[in-house]
Structure formats: structure tokens, C-alpha cells
Amino acid sequence: MGEFTELATQVMARCETLGDLSQDPQCLDRRYLTDEHKLANQLASGWMIEAGMTTWQDAVGNIWGRYTSSVPNAPRLIIGSHLDTVPNGGKYDGMLGVVAAISLVAMFDGTQSRFPFHIDIVGFCDEEGTRFGTTLLGSRALTGQWQDSWRYLKDVDGISLEQAMTNFGLNFDAIASAAISRTDILGYLELHIEQGPVLEQENLPVGVVSAIAGAKRFNLSVEGMAGHAGTVPMSMRVDALSAAAEMILSVEHISQHRPGVVATVGKIVNGPNGVNVISGRTTFSLDIRSEDDSLRDTVLTEILQSFDHIAHKRKVGLAVEQTHSAPAVHCDQNLKQALVDGVQASGISPRVLASGAGHDAMAMAEICPVAMLFTRCKGGISHHPLESITLEDVAASLSVLHKTISGLKHN
């Protein structure tokens, strides 16, 4: 891995540089269609040009670089990730995948290596969805999946998406031109930090992604009867919060005994929420994920049946509202195997694992084969300033990608 250490040093330094581009001086916060988005694109474009690439910005604000093939009418291998962040985010989520790919192409250019396919690097403009509340805007534009109603989405300052695009120098009505042809794409590769603790626990620098989990989300409302905390006997109470608490524990209990599924209650609102008032209404969220949609839905049915049983037993009302549904995305078998081969060729034990978090690869899977490589991150911490990776793990990631791309050259 020694030959990639110098390259990894460059990648780490460039992530630091991008980490300084923030709309908030107190933390890293870089959102879509801001001045910082424009500066990040300019920075990445400059690095792409240094790496021997031609560059352009598309109609949605993604930044592109092409390392041109030696073969006429060659297909394209797209490598990328996102350049936007969450508020108070880390320096490697998304950025690592863009910066590492650029440095790798610079290495190819330095050795005059050419391929029977174009290597196209993309820095997606908005994966997190922080500014306008809709995720994967950059990658979904490539697949032609933008909705006309999105022009009316507004940020916290009341600026519409359409207006923000105009202010940035883009045109909402030209968004269709960002869509790319499906016919000439070899595939999409994405390097990303794991955002979880598995690789660290198993002492591995990288892992190959099998699938991106499908998720469903719900809001649940439990209706009881508010009353005086001192005058209503315990046996006569219809306590919404107690019922919700039992339901929440059932989520934990059921999902702990169903390997391959994770379920989370992350938000709860109670009313009247007074210290001396029995709860009359409690709402809570449910997020359930798995790389196996059928397994996820089976466990979901079990959880909802448990809720109904608790509601009946406690004589509370229960309303269930589904707010989100996304199917699992399975990585392409051939591209996944190419990454596994690259891991083995780098002298690393291959570990295949699912991604519980969403990624741009989910959108890209609609138009081409996709695969992902994870880099170990300290404590599995992400979306936080303590997000941390090591030079050695970046070198390992570069080695795997180098061997993977070189292997595709001969297939």
C-alpha cells in the first residue's frame, strides 16, 4: 500500500481544504446552490484539470470531469459522490469519494494509463437534501427524475428552489438537459465512509457493499384521555404515553430478534406534556430498514400487529401514517465482484456488508449498474465534526479502486 500513501496524503489535505468551505463559521455546513457550493465546484474543477481531465458543470449544478478514453465511441465509467454536507457535518462524508477519484485519475495520467472507457468523475451538488428537504437532487437529475413541483420548494429563508437556481446561474426549466443516456454507461462506482462501526469492529480498512437498505417510515398517533395526575385512579387511566412506551419497546424487542432488520423510533411528541397531567396524545416515528424488502415488510407487519394488540389492551386509539417508502437497491454482481477482487489483490480480507444509509448510488441504479466501496471510519461516527478516517485506510481504498478500475480494463 506504500505506493498509495503519498496519494492518500493529498486526498486527506484536499478534504481538509473542502472542509473550510462553509456558510457557517462555527461548523461545516455547505448546502446546495450557495456560494460555498460554487466554490467547492471551482476547487474540484481545478483539481480535475490538474489531473488531465476536461471539466463541466451540468444543468443541476453537479461538477464533472472526464479522463478521455483512447477508444472512439467508448462507454463511460462514472465514479463519484457528493460535495454537499449536513449542518455541523464532517469532512469526509461524500467528499472522500470525489477527491479520491480525482487523485486516482491524476495517478493514471502521470503514468499515461489509458482505458477502453472514459472515466467520468462527478461531484454531486445535493445528496443530503438539507436546504430544500428533498434528497439526492444531484443524482436524480441525471436519471430524469426531477418533479416540476420541486420548483416551489423553499428553504428556511423562503427562497424557492427555482429562484435559488436562477441566483446560482442555472435555470430550473433546463433541468432535463442534466439527464444522461443509459446506453453508454459501463457502471457507477462510489467510495464512501462506512458511517457505521462494523469495519472498525472487524479491524478492516475497507468493505464492499452488497446492497443499500430499503426503508419505510411512519408517524404513529396514540390517543388516550388526559386527566389530573392526582385524582384519576391508576386502574381507570387511558395513558397515551404509557401505551406509546410499550409500543416503542416492542419495536426494539422484535427487531433485536430479527437479524437483517433495523428499526428505530427517533422522534416522540407528547401532549399535554404537563408534569401533573396524564398524557392524552403521543405521536412517535418509526423507521425500519433492510437490504431484503420482503424481510423488512414481514417484520413491519409483526410490529404493527404488536401495536394493535397494545392499543386494544390499553383501550387507546391508534392512527398509522406512512411518510416514506424506498426499495432496497442491490449492487451489480459483476461490479461488486470487481471490487472484491480489488480488495483481495490489495492483500485485504474481503468483507461484504449492507449499507443502512442512503447514497447517490440508489438513484444511479435506475440507469446503470452500481457498486460501492466503504472506508472504515472511527467509531462509525458520521454527520458530525468528529467524523474521522486514517491515512492508511485512504491508501487502502485507493489501492482497491486502482486495482478494480485496472481490472475492468481487461474485462
Side-chain angles (χ1 to χ4, degrees):
M1 232 76 75
E3 62 182 309
F4 295 99
T5 302
E6 185 176 342
L7 213 58
T9 303
Q10 181 188 68
V11 170
M12 296 288 275
R14 287 178 170 179
C15 286
E16 287 290 329
T17 302
L18 279 169
D20 289 334
L21 298 180
S22 174
Q23 62 195 63
D24 187 334
Q26 304 301 317
C27 65
L28 178 53
D29 185 356
R30 186 168 57 250
R31 306 188 195 187
Y32 182 39
L33 301 174
T34 59
D35 290 341
E36 291 72 28
H37 168 197
K38 187 168 287 187
L39 288 169
N41 277 7
Q42 290 170 355
L43 203 55
S45 177
W47 293 333
M48 289 170 174
I49 291 167
E50 287 176 20
M53 309 182 83
T54 55
T55 70
W56 69 97
Q57 180 178 277
D58 67 17
V60 73
N62 298 318
I63 190 68
W64 288 86
R66 168 166 289 187
Y67 187 61
T68 306
S69 172
S70 55
V71 177
N73 302 314
R76 60 201 301 198
L77 175 67
I78 303 174
I79 309 174
S81 196
H82 59 97
L83 291 172
D84 66 315
T85 76
V86 295
N88 201 36
K91 297 175 181 175
Y92 306 106
D93 174 8
M95 285 169 272
L96 173 67
V98 180
V99 171
I102 296 170
S103 293
L104 202 55
V105 165
M107 187 179 196
F108 289 140
D109 189 53
T111 55
Q112 293 298 295
S113 301
R114 292 287 162 178
F115 298 85
F117 44 82
H118 303 301
I119 298 178
D120 287 354
I121 297 176
V122 59
F124 287 118
C125 55
D126 189 339
E127 186 255 16
E128 303 288 3
T130 300
R131 184 171 182 187
F132 294 102
T134 299
T135 60
L136 307 176
L137 286 176
S139 47
R140 286 205 274 183
L142 268 55
T143 67
Q145 297 296 312
W146 266 47
Q147 300 173 21
D148 188 69
S149 60
W150 289 352
R151 70 173 71 236
Y152 306 113
L153 294 173
K154 291 186 177 180
D155 66 11
V156 293
D157 297 316
I159 299 170
S160 70
L161 175 52
E162 183 175 29
Q163 184 60 52
M165 291 185 74
T166 301
N167 296 347
F168 194 81
L170 300 171
N171 179 2
F172 187 96
D173 292 316
I175 204 69
S177 65
I180 60 176
S181 168
R182 302 166 180 239
T183 58
D184 64 344
I185 308 174
L186 194 63
Y188 171 77
L189 293 178
E190 182 168 357
L191 172 67
H192 204 282
I193 60 170
E194 182 194 356
Q195 298 180 291
V198 175
L199 293 175
E200 185 177 63
Q201 185 179 47
E202 299 186 10
N203 196 28
L204 292 169
V206 296
V208 177
V209 176
S210 57
I212 302 169
K216 286 188 175 180
R217 292 180 191 149
F218 299 84
N219 284 331
L220 299 110
S221 298
V222 181
E223 293 286 347
M225 177 61 71
H228 195 293
T231 61
V232 181
M234 297 300 294
S235 61
M236 297 174 66
R237 297 186 178 195
V238 185
D239 189 324
L241 183 55
S242 294
E246 188 174 347
M247 291 175 187
I248 292 166
L249 286 175
S250 78
V251 172
E252 182 182 55
H253 176 77
I254 292 168
S255 55
Q256 279 179 339
H257 293 84
R258 304 295 182 272
V261 174
V262 290
T264 306
V265 175
K267 182 179 180 182
I268 184 167
V269 178
N270 182 57
N273 215 37
V275 67
N276 59 348
V277 185
I278 300 164
S279 170
R281 186 170 193 263
T282 304
T283 62
F284 62 95
S285 62
L286 172 64
D287 178 303
I288 183 167
R289 307 182 187 211
S290 175
E291 63 177 304
D292 182 336
D293 288 341
S294 176
L295 175 62
R296 178 202 61 200
D297 290 347
T298 298
V299 176
L300 173 62
T301 297
E302 191 176 350
I303 288 172
L304 293 177
Q305 286 174 344
S306 171
F307 288 177
D308 284 338
H309 172 73
I310 294 164
H312 179 75
K313 178 182 70 175
R314 288 180 167 271
K315 298 181 174 58
V316 296
L318 176 66
V320 181
E321 176 196 12
Q322 184 169 318
T323 58
H324 173 78
S325 179
V329 171
H330 290 265
C331 292
D332 177 73
Q333 186 59 42
N334 292 332
L335 281 180
K336 184 174 69 174
Q337 188 58 50
L339 283 172
V340 169
D341 292 345
V343 172
Q344 290 177 316
S346 299
I348 302 165
S349 177
R351 173 67 158 90
V352 178
L353 70 167
S355 171
H359 298 284
D360 287 302
M362 295 176 73
M364 294 298 289
E366 294 190 23
I367 59 171
C368 68
V370 303
M372 290 189 70
L373 182 70
F374 275 165
T375 302
R376 168 173 53 187
C377 59
K378 186 176 181 181
I381 296 170
S382 184
H383 285 189
H384 191 278
L386 292 180
E387 202 171 83
S388 177
I389 57 177
T390 67
L391 182 74
E392 293 76 18
D393 288 356
V394 173
S397 303
L398 288 165
S399 174
V400 172
L401 286 178
H402 183 279
K403 289 171 171 56
T404 299
I405 295 166
S406 299
L408 292 172
K409 182 178 182 178
H410 303 296
N411 288 349

